[in-house]
Amino acid sequence: MDERFERYVTELFAAEDPILSKIRARHAAEQLPAINISPEEGKLLFVLLHAIQAKRVLEIGALGGYSGVWLGRALPAGGELITIEKDPKHARVTREAFDMAKLHGRVRLIEGAALDVLPTLVPGFDAVFIDADKEPLPKYFVWAMQLLRVGGLLLCDNAFFHGAAIDPGDTSGNAVGVRKFNELAAKDPRLAATIVPVRDGLVVGVKLRDTA
Ligand code: DHB
Ligand code: MG
């Protein structure tokens, strides 16, 4: 998206409150990689969760908790966001972010590698947001489809992966993982999906049925 339009959307629809600004600033202060979602992407996630009245949401890859705050704030009392983070420092920063946002009780951080944690989760999630390492994305796809309820949302960040999605010459593990994920999302008969061109691209899909 043209940066001017991005700014327009952010300023009009996705202005951060001081808590979100502070949490985003802490990503830099704690020297986390500058790969957090943008405010307008956060607002899109927030709108989508409200649209389906999501109560149980799973995030794969917490980073520093910025996206988790957008997701957690979309949940009603009694709702729960489970977020998985394998990096201990990222997990600490995320916990601090959730404290700052006063989201206790509505968010649960599970520290560990996603592929170890996913098999322990009870299926029936209303939405799964994937924003983690890219090489295992095809495996995350399989797990997400298994854990989502019918009518639930599959959401995945970095659908374009800075252009690697449309560059078959990029044979890095990350690029291959992203392209494979997009192909799975496009072709799986259990899913209706597309890419919303927000920031680096967001796959948005709805699970239509349990079996092909
Ligand atoms: C990058 C960006 C992301 O949003 C992410 O989740 C992972 C990596 C990147 O720019 O490399
Ligand atoms: Mg990302």
Side-chain angles (χ1 to χ4, degrees):
M1 197 180 358
D2 184 313
E3 269 177 33
R4 293 169 306 161
F5 292 128
E6 207 170 85
R7 201 157 41 242
Y8 176 73
V9 174
T10 298
E11 285 172 5
L12 189 56
F13 290 92
E16 294 171 328
D17 66 347
I19 290 169
L20 273 172
S21 304
K22 209 159 124 193
I23 289 168
R24 194 152 55 80
R26 288 189 73 248
H27 279 68
E30 294 277 357
Q31 293 173 314
L32 266 50
I35 57 171
N36 52 274
I37 63 164
S38 59
E40 83 274 18
E41 191 177 4
K43 183 64 181 288
L44 176 59
L45 296 173
F46 182 88
V47 170
L48 289 170
L49 293 194
H50 274 291
I52 61 158
Q53 300 184 342
K55 291 177 187 64
R56 278 188 80 218
V57 175
L58 173 65
E59 178 182 56
I60 304 176
L63 190 62
Y66 181 79
S67 52
V69 171
W70 279 103
L71 296 167
R73 283 180 171 182
L75 301 181
E80 186 180 48
L81 168 72
I82 294 176
T83 185
I84 305 172
E85 178 53 53
K86 74 174 170 199
D87 183 298
K89 178 179 169 183
H90 295 185
R92 171 183 59 78
V93 176
T94 296
R95 278 193 209 95
E96 290 165 7
F98 292 161
D99 284 346
M100 285 162 61
K102 299 191 168 40
L103 281 171
H104 335 270
R106 254 192 290 176
V107 292
R108 181 149 62 98
L109 184 142
I110 303 180
E111 206 172 317
L115 292 174
D116 295 332
V117 175
L118 291 165
T120 71
L121 300 177
V122 179
F125 285 92
D126 299 309
V128 177
F129 174 53
I130 305 168
D131 191 13
D133 45 345
K134 308 308 176 199
E135 199 163 340
L137 274 177
K139 288 180 179 161
Y140 297 158
F141 179 89
V142 173
W143 276 110
M145 288 302 287
Q146 195 162 313
L147 291 169
L148 275 173
R149 68 161 167 93
V150 170
L153 294 178
L154 176 72
L155 306 162
C156 184
D157 190 38
N158 307 100
F160 298 145
F161 204 50
H162 313 290
I166 56 165
D167 178 8
D170 186 341
T171 55
S172 68
N174 289 337
V176 171
V178 169
R179 288 198 298 271
K180 184 71 192 166
F181 182 96
N182 291 343
E183 285 160 26
L184 289 167
K187 291 178 181 158
D188 194 308
R190 296 169 299 171
L191 193 71
T194 190
I195 292 174
V196 179
V198 60
R199 200 178 66 104
D200 196 23
L202 178 73
V203 173
V204 178
V206 58
K207 183 172 166 180
L208 302 173
R209 59 184 81 94
D210 273 316
T211 50

